[in-house]
Amino acid sequence: MDKFLVQGSGPLNGEVRIGGAKNSALKLMAASLLAEGSTSLLNVPDITDVAIMIELLEAMGVRVQREGHRIDIDVPAEIDPVAPYSLVERMRASIVVLGPLLSRIGRAQVAMPGGDDFGSRPIDMHLQGLEQLGATFSYEHGDINGRAEQLLGTEVFLEFPSVGATENLLMAAVLAEGTTVIENAAREPEIGDLANFLLKMGALIDGIGTSRLRIEGVTVLRPVTYEVIADRIEAATYLAALAVCGGELRLQGARPDHMEMLLRKLEEMGMACQENDSGLEAKVRDRLKAVDISTLPYPGLATDYKPFLVTALCVSHGAGMVTENIFAGRFRYIDELVRMGAEIRAEGRHAVVRGVERLSGAPVRAHDIRAGAALVIAGLAADGETVISDAHHVDRGYEDLAGKLSSVGAQVTRV
Ligand code: EPU
C-alpha cells in the first residue's frame, strides 16, 4: 500500500539538511541504559528505527520523551532486561542492548535476531567477545539469556571488524572491572561517536578511531546531553541523486571527513565535491564515467553506499565491476533495477554494471532501507513513472526522503 511515485527528473538544485546518523543514534540510545538518570540526545532523526528503539527502551521500564529531533531518556535504577522478539524481529540493531544490560545489571534476555535480505547475519562475535569478558549465555525458546556477575576486562581479538560486535563490547567494557583491549575493532565514524558519548558519561577509552580500543572500566557512568553526528549514508543518498540527475547540491551538516573514500570515487566518476562552512557542496555537469567499486570496512567504501553507486553506474558512461565484501546477499535490488532496463550481470559477490542512457520507469519493490532509497534514485534517472512499493522499509532509515528530494527539484511523492 505504501509507495513512492517517482518521475524522471533533473537537474537538481538547492540545499538539503542532513540529519543525525541512524546507526549512531540507535547505539547511543542503547548506551543510555548504562547510566541511571536522564540522558538527552540531540539531532536524532525522525525515522521508524528510532521509534522501535524507543519502544524497546520503554518495554524495559525506561521513560522516553521525544520532541522534534531531541529525545530525553530517563533510565530508572531497576531495568527489566528483556528485548522481545516482536521488536528484535523488526530491527536487528536491538541486539546492541546486550552489552549495556550485561554490564549495568548483569542480566539480559534478548530474542535471537532472524535472517534478513543481506544473507545470514550471525552474532557469534558479539557473544564470544562478551563470554571472554565473563558473561555466560544459554539459549531457550528463541531467546539469548545472558548472565554476568561482574564483567572482567580482558583482550578480545575480533576475527573481523564487526560494527555491532565492537559496539556491544565497548558498551560492556566501560563498566567492567579492569582493562579491556578490543583488537581489530571496527572504525566506522558511528563507533567514534559512541565512544565520545561514553567518554562524556565518564568512561575511560583510548584509541578512538583506531582498530585498537583500550577501555579502563569505571564503576559508574553519569547521564549526559549529546548531539548525534550527521548521517553519512543519508548524505550519500543525495549525492547519488545528484549523480544521476546532474545539477548542484549543498548538503548542510554533512561530514565530508567521514566520507572520504566515497567522495574520491564520486570525483573519479566526474562529480566535483567541495567541503564548505556548513558541510559539503557537489556539482555534476556531464554524464558520469563508470568506475569499479569494492566494499570494505571503514575507511573503505561502505556496503551501505553500494546500492547508490550501483544505481549511478546504471546510467554512467562505460562499465563498472562491483564487489561486495561485507554481506553475502546484498544484491537483491539488482533484479528490480534490471526491471527498469539496467544492464547488470550479477554472480555471487560480483556484479558488472554496463551504463545505459536512461532507465525506464516500472513498478518495483523495496526490500530494505538502502535498496529502497536506491530505487527512488533510479526512478529519477528513468523515463516515465516508477512506483516503488513497500516504501515503509525506506522510512526505517530516512526522514522525509520524498520531501527533501522534492525541495531540490526532483519529482517524488509518497503515497
Ligand atoms: N558478522 C559475523 N559475526 C558477528 C557479527 C558480524 O559473522 O558476530 C559478519 C556479518 O554477517 C557481516 C559482517 O560481519 O558479514 C559485518 O557485519 P557488522 O557486524 O559489521 O554489521 P552490523 O553491525 O550488523 C552495521 C550497520 C549496517 C551496515 C554494517 C556494515 C547498524 C544498525 N547497522 O551492521 O547498516 O551495513 O554495519 O557497515 O549499525 C543500514 O543502515 O541499513 C545497515 C544495514
Side-chain angles (χ1 to χ4, degrees), residues 22-23 26-27 92-93 118 120-126 160-165 167 188 232 303-304 326-328 330 369-370:
K22 165 178 90 74
N23 289 347
L26 296 174
K27 319 307 167 64
R92 286 184 64 89
F118 292 14
S120 155
R121 278 175 85 176
I123 51 163
D124 53 319
M125 281 189 270
H126 302 233
F160 179 90
S162 151
V163 170
E167 291 165 335
E188 272 67 6
R232 62 197 166 105
T303 173
D304 302 270
I326 310 294
F327 292 113
R330 209 176 184 179
I369 308 175
R370 308 303 170 194

PDB file of all heavy atoms in Angstrom, residues 22-23 26-27 92-93 118 120-126 160-165 167 188 232 303-304 326-328 330 369-370, ligand 1:
ATOM      1  N   LYS A  22      21.448   7.466  11.749  1.00  0.00           N
ATOM      2  CA  LYS A  22      20.649   6.369  12.302  1.00  0.00           C
ATOM      3  C   LYS A  22      21.524   5.403  13.084  1.00  0.00           C
ATOM      4  O   LYS A  22      21.219   5.048  14.225  1.00  0.00           O
ATOM      5  CB  LYS A  22      19.969   5.611  11.142  1.00  0.00           C
ATOM      6  CG  LYS A  22      19.418   4.249  11.547  1.00  0.00           C
ATOM      7  CD  LYS A  22      18.716   3.552  10.402  1.00  0.00           C
ATOM      8  CE  LYS A  22      19.580   2.663   9.549  1.00  0.00           C
ATOM      9  NZ  LYS A  22      19.966   1.390  10.162  1.00  0.00           N
ATOM     10  N   ASN A  23      22.638   4.994  12.449  1.00  0.00           N
ATOM     11  CA  ASN A  23      23.431   3.926  13.057  1.00  0.00           C
ATOM     12  C   ASN A  23      24.274   4.398  14.240  1.00  0.00           C
ATOM     13  O   ASN A  23      24.922   3.594  14.892  1.00  0.00           O
ATOM     14  CB  ASN A  23      24.297   3.232  11.997  1.00  0.00           C
ATOM     15  CG  ASN A  23      23.422   2.402  11.068  1.00  0.00           C
ATOM     16  OD1 ASN A  23      22.242   2.161  11.367  1.00  0.00           O
ATOM     17  ND2 ASN A  23      23.984   1.979   9.948  1.00  0.00           N
ATOM     18  N   LEU A  26      20.872   4.994  17.251  1.00  0.00           N
ATOM     19  CA  LEU A  26      20.339   3.749  17.844  1.00  0.00           C
ATOM     20  C   LEU A  26      21.273   3.226  18.935  1.00  0.00           C
ATOM     21  O   LEU A  26      20.833   2.743  19.981  1.00  0.00           O
ATOM     22  CB  LEU A  26      20.163   2.678  16.763  1.00  0.00           C
ATOM     23  CG  LEU A  26      19.132   2.989  15.672  1.00  0.00           C
ATOM     24  CD1 LEU A  26      19.166   1.917  14.590  1.00  0.00           C
ATOM     25  CD2 LEU A  26      17.721   3.075  16.283  1.00  0.00           C
ATOM     26  N   LYS A  27      22.582   3.328  18.697  1.00  0.00           N
ATOM     27  CA  LYS A  27      23.553   2.797  19.664  1.00  0.00           C
ATOM     28  C   LYS A  27      23.651   3.707  20.890  1.00  0.00           C
ATOM     29  O   LYS A  27      23.803   3.243  22.008  1.00  0.00           O
ATOM     30  CB  LYS A  27      24.938   2.628  19.031  1.00  0.00           C
ATOM     31  CG  LYS A  27      24.948   2.080  17.605  1.00  0.00           C
ATOM     32  CD  LYS A  27      24.184   0.789  17.413  1.00  0.00           C
ATOM     33  CE  LYS A  27      23.957   0.436  15.948  1.00  0.00           C
ATOM     34  NZ  LYS A  27      25.125   0.177  15.152  1.00  0.00           N
ATOM     35  N   ARG A  92      17.021  -5.551  13.764  1.00  0.00           N
ATOM     36  CA  ARG A  92      18.148  -6.361  14.256  1.00  0.00           C
ATOM     37  C   ARG A  92      19.049  -5.600  15.219  1.00  0.00           C
ATOM     38  O   ARG A  92      19.660  -6.184  16.109  1.00  0.00           O
ATOM     39  CB  ARG A  92      19.052  -6.755  13.079  1.00  0.00           C
ATOM     40  CG  ARG A  92      18.582  -7.769  12.157  1.00  0.00           C
ATOM     41  CD  ARG A  92      19.696  -8.044  11.166  1.00  0.00           C
ATOM     42  NE  ARG A  92      20.857  -8.608  11.853  1.00  0.00           N
ATOM     43  CZ  ARG A  92      21.030  -9.890  12.058  1.00  0.00           C
ATOM     44  NH1 ARG A  92      20.163 -10.755  11.622  1.00  0.00           N
ATOM     45  NH2 ARG A  92      22.094 -10.323  12.704  1.00  0.00           N
ATOM     46  N   ALA A  93      19.160  -4.272  14.976  1.00  0.00           N
ATOM     47  CA  ALA A  93      20.093  -3.469  15.782  1.00  0.00           C
ATOM     48  C   ALA A  93      19.732  -3.520  17.266  1.00  0.00           C
ATOM     49  O   ALA A  93      20.532  -3.116  18.110  1.00  0.00           O
ATOM     50  CB  ALA A  93      20.099  -2.028  15.283  1.00  0.00           C
ATOM     51  N   PHE A 118      20.131  -9.598   3.678  1.00  0.00           N
ATOM     52  CA  PHE A 118      21.567  -9.474   3.448  1.00  0.00           C
ATOM     53  C   PHE A 118      22.238 -10.836   3.460  1.00  0.00           C
ATOM     54  O   PHE A 118      23.445 -10.946   3.398  1.00  0.00           O
ATOM     55  CB  PHE A 118      22.221  -8.648   4.556  1.00  0.00           C
ATOM     56  CG  PHE A 118      21.818  -7.201   4.549  1.00  0.00           C
ATOM     57  CD1 PHE A 118      20.746  -6.756   3.816  1.00  0.00           C
ATOM     58  CD2 PHE A 118      22.542  -6.295   5.282  1.00  0.00           C
ATOM     59  CE1 PHE A 118      20.381  -5.423   3.819  1.00  0.00           C
ATOM     60  CE2 PHE A 118      22.196  -4.961   5.295  1.00  0.00           C
ATOM     61  CZ  PHE A 118      21.108  -4.528   4.566  1.00  0.00           C
ATOM     62  N   SER A 120      22.840 -14.572   5.610  1.00  0.00           N
ATOM     63  CA  SER A 120      22.949 -14.955   7.007  1.00  0.00           C
ATOM     64  C   SER A 120      23.747 -13.897   7.780  1.00  0.00           C
ATOM     65  O   SER A 120      24.772 -13.420   7.306  1.00  0.00           O
ATOM     66  CB  SER A 120      23.632 -16.316   7.059  1.00  0.00           C
ATOM     67  OG  SER A 120      24.250 -16.487   8.285  1.00  0.00           O
ATOM     68  N   ARG A 121      23.236 -13.496   8.945  1.00  0.00           N
ATOM     69  CA  ARG A 121      23.955 -12.471   9.728  1.00  0.00           C
ATOM     70  C   ARG A 121      24.147 -12.951  11.156  1.00  0.00           C
ATOM     71  O   ARG A 121      23.373 -12.635  12.043  1.00  0.00           O
ATOM     72  CB  ARG A 121      23.179 -11.154   9.712  1.00  0.00           C
ATOM     73  CG  ARG A 121      23.449 -10.365   8.469  1.00  0.00           C
ATOM     74  CD  ARG A 121      22.583  -9.142   8.431  1.00  0.00           C
ATOM     75  NE  ARG A 121      23.152  -8.014   9.156  1.00  0.00           N
ATOM     76  CZ  ARG A 121      22.588  -6.810   9.179  1.00  0.00           C
ATOM     77  NH1 ARG A 121      21.458  -6.589   8.549  1.00  0.00           N
ATOM     78  NH2 ARG A 121      23.156  -5.828   9.844  1.00  0.00           N
ATOM     79  N   PRO A 122      25.205 -13.739  11.370  1.00  0.00           N
ATOM     80  CA  PRO A 122      25.432 -14.288  12.708  1.00  0.00           C
ATOM     81  C   PRO A 122      25.829 -13.205  13.718  1.00  0.00           C
ATOM     82  O   PRO A 122      26.231 -12.109  13.338  1.00  0.00           O
ATOM     83  CB  PRO A 122      26.584 -15.269  12.497  1.00  0.00           C
ATOM     84  CG  PRO A 122      27.254 -14.852  11.242  1.00  0.00           C
ATOM     85  CD  PRO A 122      26.231 -14.139  10.400  1.00  0.00           C
ATOM     86  N   ILE A 123      25.702 -13.552  15.024  1.00  0.00           N
ATOM     87  CA  ILE A 123      26.155 -12.633  16.069  1.00  0.00           C
ATOM     88  C   ILE A 123      27.180 -13.332  16.964  1.00  0.00           C
ATOM     89  O   ILE A 123      27.346 -12.989  18.128  1.00  0.00           O
ATOM     90  CB  ILE A 123      24.971 -12.090  16.914  1.00  0.00           C
ATOM     91  CG1 ILE A 123      24.091 -13.238  17.406  1.00  0.00           C
ATOM     92  CG2 ILE A 123      24.152 -11.088  16.143  1.00  0.00           C
ATOM     93  CD1 ILE A 123      23.195 -12.820  18.555  1.00  0.00           C
ATOM     94  N   ASP A 124      27.844 -14.339  16.374  1.00  0.00           N
ATOM     95  CA  ASP A 124      28.809 -15.135  17.156  1.00  0.00           C
ATOM     96  C   ASP A 124      29.923 -14.276  17.763  1.00  0.00           C
ATOM     97  O   ASP A 124      30.351 -14.497  18.896  1.00  0.00           O
ATOM     98  CB  ASP A 124      29.404 -16.249  16.279  1.00  0.00           C
ATOM     99  CG  ASP A 124      29.994 -15.712  14.983  1.00  0.00           C
ATOM    100  OD1 ASP A 124      29.377 -14.816  14.374  1.00  0.00           O
ATOM    101  OD2 ASP A 124      31.078 -16.161  14.585  1.00  0.00           O
ATOM    102  N   MET A 125      30.371 -13.255  17.041  1.00  0.00           N
ATOM    103  CA  MET A 125      31.484 -12.438  17.568  1.00  0.00           C
ATOM    104  C   MET A 125      31.043 -11.598  18.764  1.00  0.00           C
ATOM    105  O   MET A 125      31.822 -11.369  19.682  1.00  0.00           O
ATOM    106  CB  MET A 125      32.049 -11.537  16.472  1.00  0.00           C
ATOM    107  CG  MET A 125      32.969 -12.281  15.528  1.00  0.00           C
ATOM    108  SD  MET A 125      33.782 -11.126  14.438  1.00  0.00           S
ATOM    109  CE  MET A 125      32.637 -11.084  13.098  1.00  0.00           C
ATOM    110  N   HIS A 126      29.765 -11.150  18.748  1.00  0.00           N
ATOM    111  CA  HIS A 126      29.249 -10.406  19.902  1.00  0.00           C
ATOM    112  C   HIS A 126      29.320 -11.333  21.133  1.00  0.00           C
ATOM    113  O   HIS A 126      29.800 -10.945  22.193  1.00  0.00           O
ATOM    114  CB  HIS A 126      27.775 -10.028  19.739  1.00  0.00           C
ATOM    115  CG  HIS A 126      27.441  -9.200  18.539  1.00  0.00           C
ATOM    116  ND1 HIS A 126      26.744  -8.029  18.634  1.00  0.00           N
ATOM    117  CD2 HIS A 126      27.674  -9.371  17.212  1.00  0.00           C
ATOM    118  CE1 HIS A 126      26.550  -7.516  17.425  1.00  0.00           C
ATOM    119  NE2 HIS A 126      27.107  -8.327  16.550  1.00  0.00           N
ATOM    120  N   PHE A 160      36.879 -10.282  12.600  1.00  0.00           N
ATOM    121  CA  PHE A 160      36.517  -9.338  11.539  1.00  0.00           C
ATOM    122  C   PHE A 160      36.076  -8.061  12.257  1.00  0.00           C
ATOM    123  O   PHE A 160      35.468  -8.147  13.315  1.00  0.00           O
ATOM    124  CB  PHE A 160      35.355  -9.941  10.720  1.00  0.00           C
ATOM    125  CG  PHE A 160      34.860  -9.061   9.609  1.00  0.00           C
ATOM    126  CD1 PHE A 160      35.409  -9.143   8.337  1.00  0.00           C
ATOM    127  CD2 PHE A 160      33.845  -8.133   9.837  1.00  0.00           C
ATOM    128  CE1 PHE A 160      34.966  -8.320   7.312  1.00  0.00           C
ATOM    129  CE2 PHE A 160      33.396  -7.306   8.819  1.00  0.00           C
ATOM    130  CZ  PHE A 160      33.959  -7.412   7.549  1.00  0.00           C
ATOM    131  N   PRO A 161      36.363  -6.885  11.709  1.00  0.00           N
ATOM    132  CA  PRO A 161      35.973  -5.659  12.422  1.00  0.00           C
ATOM    133  C   PRO A 161      34.463  -5.402  12.342  1.00  0.00           C
ATOM    134  O   PRO A 161      34.007  -4.504  11.632  1.00  0.00           O
ATOM    135  CB  PRO A 161      36.776  -4.562  11.718  1.00  0.00           C
ATOM    136  CG  PRO A 161      37.082  -5.108  10.371  1.00  0.00           C
ATOM    137  CD  PRO A 161      37.152  -6.603  10.490  1.00  0.00           C
ATOM    138  N   SER A 162      33.696  -6.212  13.054  1.00  0.00           N
ATOM    139  CA  SER A 162      32.231  -6.088  13.052  1.00  0.00           C
ATOM    140  C   SER A 162      31.814  -4.824  13.813  1.00  0.00           C
ATOM    141  O   SER A 162      32.262  -4.594  14.943  1.00  0.00           O
ATOM    142  CB  SER A 162      31.617  -7.327  13.708  1.00  0.00           C
ATOM    143  OG  SER A 162      30.375  -7.016  14.313  1.00  0.00           O
ATOM    144  N   VAL A 163      30.932  -4.056  13.186  1.00  0.00           N
ATOM    145  CA  VAL A 163      30.431  -2.823  13.799  1.00  0.00           C
ATOM    146  C   VAL A 163      29.665  -3.155  15.080  1.00  0.00           C
ATOM    147  O   VAL A 163      29.973  -2.659  16.165  1.00  0.00           O
ATOM    148  CB  VAL A 163      29.519  -2.066  12.786  1.00  0.00           C
ATOM    149  CG1 VAL A 163      28.792  -0.913  13.441  1.00  0.00           C
ATOM    150  CG2 VAL A 163      30.339  -1.593  11.599  1.00  0.00           C
ATOM    151  N   GLY A 164      28.671  -4.031  14.967  1.00  0.00           N
ATOM    152  CA  GLY A 164      27.825  -4.353  16.117  1.00  0.00           C
ATOM    153  C   GLY A 164      28.608  -5.005  17.251  1.00  0.00           C
ATOM    154  O   GLY A 164      28.401  -4.680  18.429  1.00  0.00           O
ATOM    155  N   ALA A 165      29.524  -5.921  16.912  1.00  0.00           N
ATOM    156  CA  ALA A 165      30.290  -6.605  17.969  1.00  0.00           C
ATOM    157  C   ALA A 165      31.187  -5.591  18.686  1.00  0.00           C
ATOM    158  O   ALA A 165      31.297  -5.600  19.919  1.00  0.00           O
ATOM    159  CB  ALA A 165      31.118  -7.749  17.379  1.00  0.00           C
ATOM    160  N   GLU A 167      30.635  -2.455  19.076  1.00  0.00           N
ATOM    161  CA  GLU A 167      29.788  -1.598  19.919  1.00  0.00           C
ATOM    162  C   GLU A 167      29.333  -2.318  21.190  1.00  0.00           C
ATOM    163  O   GLU A 167      29.391  -1.762  22.287  1.00  0.00           O
ATOM    164  CB  GLU A 167      28.581  -1.133  19.105  1.00  0.00           C
ATOM    165  CG  GLU A 167      29.007  -0.168  18.007  1.00  0.00           C
ATOM    166  CD  GLU A 167      27.945   0.053  16.939  1.00  0.00           C
ATOM    167  OE1 GLU A 167      27.077  -0.826  16.742  1.00  0.00           O
ATOM    168  OE2 GLU A 167      27.996   1.094  16.276  1.00  0.00           O
ATOM    169  N   GLU A 188      34.252   2.589  12.098  1.00  0.00           N
ATOM    170  CA  GLU A 188      33.238   3.454  11.490  1.00  0.00           C
ATOM    171  C   GLU A 188      33.038   4.717  12.343  1.00  0.00           C
ATOM    172  O   GLU A 188      33.146   4.660  13.578  1.00  0.00           O
ATOM    173  CB  GLU A 188      31.905   2.690  11.393  1.00  0.00           C
ATOM    174  CG  GLU A 188      31.713   1.856  10.120  1.00  0.00           C
ATOM    175  CD  GLU A 188      32.655   0.667   9.978  1.00  0.00           C
ATOM    176  OE1 GLU A 188      33.419   0.384  10.919  1.00  0.00           O
ATOM    177  OE2 GLU A 188      32.632   0.017   8.926  1.00  0.00           O
ATOM    178  N   ARG A 232      26.191   9.867   7.309  1.00  0.00           N
ATOM    179  CA  ARG A 232      26.962   9.853   6.057  1.00  0.00           C
ATOM    180  C   ARG A 232      26.226   9.059   4.971  1.00  0.00           C
ATOM    181  O   ARG A 232      26.399   9.302   3.781  1.00  0.00           O
ATOM    182  CB  ARG A 232      28.383   9.294   6.298  1.00  0.00           C
ATOM    183  CG  ARG A 232      28.400   7.867   6.772  1.00  0.00           C
ATOM    184  CD  ARG A 232      29.737   7.464   7.393  1.00  0.00           C
ATOM    185  NE  ARG A 232      29.564   6.219   8.109  1.00  0.00           N
ATOM    186  CZ  ARG A 232      29.983   5.038   7.697  1.00  0.00           C
ATOM    187  NH1 ARG A 232      30.672   4.939   6.568  1.00  0.00           N
ATOM    188  NH2 ARG A 232      29.751   3.946   8.392  1.00  0.00           N
ATOM    189  N   THR A 303      29.474  -0.733   2.613  1.00  0.00           N
ATOM    190  CA  THR A 303      28.492  -1.570   1.906  1.00  0.00           C
ATOM    191  C   THR A 303      27.159  -0.833   1.751  1.00  0.00           C
ATOM    192  O   THR A 303      26.441  -1.028   0.785  1.00  0.00           O
ATOM    193  CB  THR A 303      28.301  -2.921   2.636  1.00  0.00           C
ATOM    194  OG1 THR A 303      27.229  -3.635   2.023  1.00  0.00           O
ATOM    195  CG2 THR A 303      27.979  -2.766   4.109  1.00  0.00           C
ATOM    196  N   ASP A 304      26.863   0.075   2.695  1.00  0.00           N
ATOM    197  CA  ASP A 304      25.594   0.817   2.611  1.00  0.00           C
ATOM    198  C   ASP A 304      25.562   1.793   1.432  1.00  0.00           C
ATOM    199  O   ASP A 304      24.497   2.215   1.010  1.00  0.00           O
ATOM    200  CB  ASP A 304      25.348   1.601   3.910  1.00  0.00           C
ATOM    201  CG  ASP A 304      25.325   0.679   5.083  1.00  0.00           C
ATOM    202  OD1 ASP A 304      24.255   0.183   5.415  1.00  0.00           O
ATOM    203  OD2 ASP A 304      26.404   0.421   5.654  1.00  0.00           O
ATOM    204  N   ILE A 326      31.247  -7.460   2.358  1.00  0.00           N
ATOM    205  CA  ILE A 326      30.760  -7.444   3.741  1.00  0.00           C
ATOM    206  C   ILE A 326      29.595  -8.412   3.936  1.00  0.00           C
ATOM    207  O   ILE A 326      29.614  -9.242   4.838  1.00  0.00           O
ATOM    208  CB  ILE A 326      30.326  -6.020   4.175  1.00  0.00           C
ATOM    209  CG1 ILE A 326      31.418  -4.997   3.844  1.00  0.00           C
ATOM    210  CG2 ILE A 326      29.969  -5.983   5.663  1.00  0.00           C
ATOM    211  CD1 ILE A 326      32.716  -5.147   4.603  1.00  0.00           C
ATOM    212  N   PHE A 327      28.566  -8.293   3.120  1.00  0.00           N
ATOM    213  CA  PHE A 327      27.383  -9.143   3.266  1.00  0.00           C
ATOM    214  C   PHE A 327      27.242 -10.050   2.048  1.00  0.00           C
ATOM    215  O   PHE A 327      27.317  -9.573   0.917  1.00  0.00           O
ATOM    216  CB  PHE A 327      26.114  -8.301   3.418  1.00  0.00           C
ATOM    217  CG  PHE A 327      26.064  -7.544   4.717  1.00  0.00           C
ATOM    218  CD1 PHE A 327      26.137  -6.159   4.733  1.00  0.00           C
ATOM    219  CD2 PHE A 327      25.956  -8.211   5.929  1.00  0.00           C
ATOM    220  CE1 PHE A 327      26.090  -5.457   5.934  1.00  0.00           C
ATOM    221  CE2 PHE A 327      25.912  -7.523   7.130  1.00  0.00           C
ATOM    222  CZ  PHE A 327      25.983  -6.145   7.131  1.00  0.00           C
ATOM    223  N   ALA A 328      26.958 -11.335   2.307  1.00  0.00           N
ATOM    224  CA  ALA A 328      26.885 -12.312   1.219  1.00  0.00           C
ATOM    225  C   ALA A 328      25.745 -12.003   0.246  1.00  0.00           C
ATOM    226  O   ALA A 328      25.881 -12.150  -0.959  1.00  0.00           O
ATOM    227  CB  ALA A 328      26.718 -13.705   1.807  1.00  0.00           C
ATOM    228  N   ARG A 330      23.720  -9.130  -0.588  1.00  0.00           N
ATOM    229  CA  ARG A 330      23.161  -7.786  -0.678  1.00  0.00           C
ATOM    230  C   ARG A 330      23.053  -7.312  -2.123  1.00  0.00           C
ATOM    231  O   ARG A 330      23.517  -6.254  -2.484  1.00  0.00           O
ATOM    232  CB  ARG A 330      24.020  -6.825   0.134  1.00  0.00           C
ATOM    233  CG  ARG A 330      23.211  -5.676   0.653  1.00  0.00           C
ATOM    234  CD  ARG A 330      23.984  -4.745   1.526  1.00  0.00           C
ATOM    235  NE  ARG A 330      23.068  -3.728   2.054  1.00  0.00           N
ATOM    236  CZ  ARG A 330      23.430  -2.778   2.876  1.00  0.00           C
ATOM    237  NH1 ARG A 330      24.666  -2.696   3.284  1.00  0.00           N
ATOM    238  NH2 ARG A 330      22.554  -1.896   3.294  1.00  0.00           N
ATOM    239  N   ILE A 369      16.163  -0.862   3.518  1.00  0.00           N
ATOM    240  CA  ILE A 369      16.243   0.608   3.586  1.00  0.00           C
ATOM    241  C   ILE A 369      16.999   1.183   2.397  1.00  0.00           C
ATOM    242  O   ILE A 369      16.510   2.043   1.663  1.00  0.00           O
ATOM    243  CB  ILE A 369      16.994   1.058   4.863  1.00  0.00           C
ATOM    244  CG1 ILE A 369      16.412   0.414   6.105  1.00  0.00           C
ATOM    245  CG2 ILE A 369      17.012   2.574   4.968  1.00  0.00           C
ATOM    246  CD1 ILE A 369      17.204   0.725   7.378  1.00  0.00           C
ATOM    247  N   ARG A 370      18.244   0.726   2.252  1.00  0.00           N
ATOM    248  CA  ARG A 370      19.116   1.348   1.235  1.00  0.00           C
ATOM    249  C   ARG A 370      18.687   0.972  -0.172  1.00  0.00           C
ATOM    250  O   ARG A 370      18.752   1.784  -1.090  1.00  0.00           O
ATOM    251  CB  ARG A 370      20.581   0.944   1.464  1.00  0.00           C
ATOM    252  CG  ARG A 370      21.081   1.164   2.864  1.00  0.00           C
ATOM    253  CD  ARG A 370      20.942   2.589   3.343  1.00  0.00           C
ATOM    254  NE  ARG A 370      21.210   2.689   4.778  1.00  0.00           N
ATOM    255  CZ  ARG A 370      20.918   3.743   5.526  1.00  0.00           C
ATOM    256  NH1 ARG A 370      20.356   4.819   4.995  1.00  0.00           N
ATOM    257  NH2 ARG A 370      21.185   3.738   6.809  1.00  0.00           N
TER     258      ARG A 370
HETATM  259  N1  EPU B   1      29.440 -10.879  11.344  1.00  0.00           N
HETATM  260  C1  EPU B   1      29.665 -12.162  11.802  1.00  0.00           C
HETATM  261  N2  EPU B   1      29.538 -12.397  13.140  1.00  0.00           N
HETATM  262  C2  EPU B   1      29.184 -11.429  14.015  1.00  0.00           C
HETATM  263  C3  EPU B   1      28.947 -10.122  13.546  1.00  0.00           C
HETATM  264  C4  EPU B   1      29.086  -9.873  12.190  1.00  0.00           C
HETATM  265  O1  EPU B   1      29.973 -13.055  11.037  1.00  0.00           O
HETATM  266  O2  EPU B   1      29.081 -11.727  15.212  1.00  0.00           O
HETATM  267  C5  EPU B   1      29.577 -10.600   9.904  1.00  0.00           C
HETATM  268  C6  EPU B   1      28.250 -10.190   9.288  1.00  0.00           C
HETATM  269  O3  EPU B   1      27.478 -11.314   8.929  1.00  0.00           O
HETATM  270  C7  EPU B   1      28.689  -9.390   8.108  1.00  0.00           C
HETATM  271  C8  EPU B   1      29.952  -8.684   8.621  1.00  0.00           C
HETATM  272  O4  EPU B   1      30.387  -9.450   9.742  1.00  0.00           O
HETATM  273  O5  EPU B   1      29.046 -10.229   7.046  1.00  0.00           O
HETATM  274  C9  EPU B   1      29.752  -7.251   9.020  1.00  0.00           C
HETATM  275  O6  EPU B   1      28.738  -7.106   9.987  1.00  0.00           O
HETATM  276  P1  EPU B   1      28.748  -5.949  11.070  1.00  0.00           P
HETATM  277  O7  EPU B   1      28.612  -6.588  12.412  1.00  0.00           O
HETATM  278  O8  EPU B   1      29.890  -5.048  10.836  1.00  0.00           O
HETATM  279  O9  EPU B   1      27.406  -5.164  10.725  1.00  0.00           O
HETATM  280  P2  EPU B   1      26.207  -4.781  11.671  1.00  0.00           P
HETATM  281  O10 EPU B   1      26.701  -4.214  12.949  1.00  0.00           O
HETATM  282  O11 EPU B   1      25.246  -5.919  11.736  1.00  0.00           O
HETATM  283  C10 EPU B   1      26.086  -2.320  10.807  1.00  0.00           C
HETATM  284  C11 EPU B   1      25.042  -1.405  10.247  1.00  0.00           C
HETATM  285  C12 EPU B   1      24.689  -1.802   8.823  1.00  0.00           C
HETATM  286  C13 EPU B   1      25.960  -1.768   7.999  1.00  0.00           C
HETATM  287  C14 EPU B   1      27.033  -2.667   8.633  1.00  0.00           C
HETATM  288  C15 EPU B   1      28.364  -2.636   7.918  1.00  0.00           C
HETATM  289  C16 EPU B   1      23.740  -0.766  12.165  1.00  0.00           C
HETATM  290  C17 EPU B   1      22.439  -0.832  12.871  1.00  0.00           C
HETATM  291  N3  EPU B   1      23.840  -1.485  11.048  1.00  0.00           N
HETATM  292  O12 EPU B   1      25.512  -3.628  10.827  1.00  0.00           O
HETATM  293  O13 EPU B   1      23.800  -0.801   8.342  1.00  0.00           O
HETATM  294  O14 EPU B   1      25.672  -2.208   6.707  1.00  0.00           O
HETATM  295  O15 EPU B   1      27.251  -2.269   9.992  1.00  0.00           O
HETATM  296  O16 EPU B   1      28.879  -1.359   7.930  1.00  0.00           O
HETATM  297  O17 EPU B   1      24.660  -0.064  12.580  1.00  0.00           O
HETATM  298  C18 EPU B   1      21.757   0.004   7.415  1.00  0.00           C
HETATM  299  O18 EPU B   1      21.936   1.070   7.991  1.00  0.00           O
HETATM  300  O19 EPU B   1      20.832  -0.157   6.585  1.00  0.00           O
HETATM  301  C19 EPU B   1      22.631  -1.131   7.695  1.00  0.00           C
HETATM  302  C20 EPU B   1      22.314  -2.349   7.328  1.00  0.00           C
END
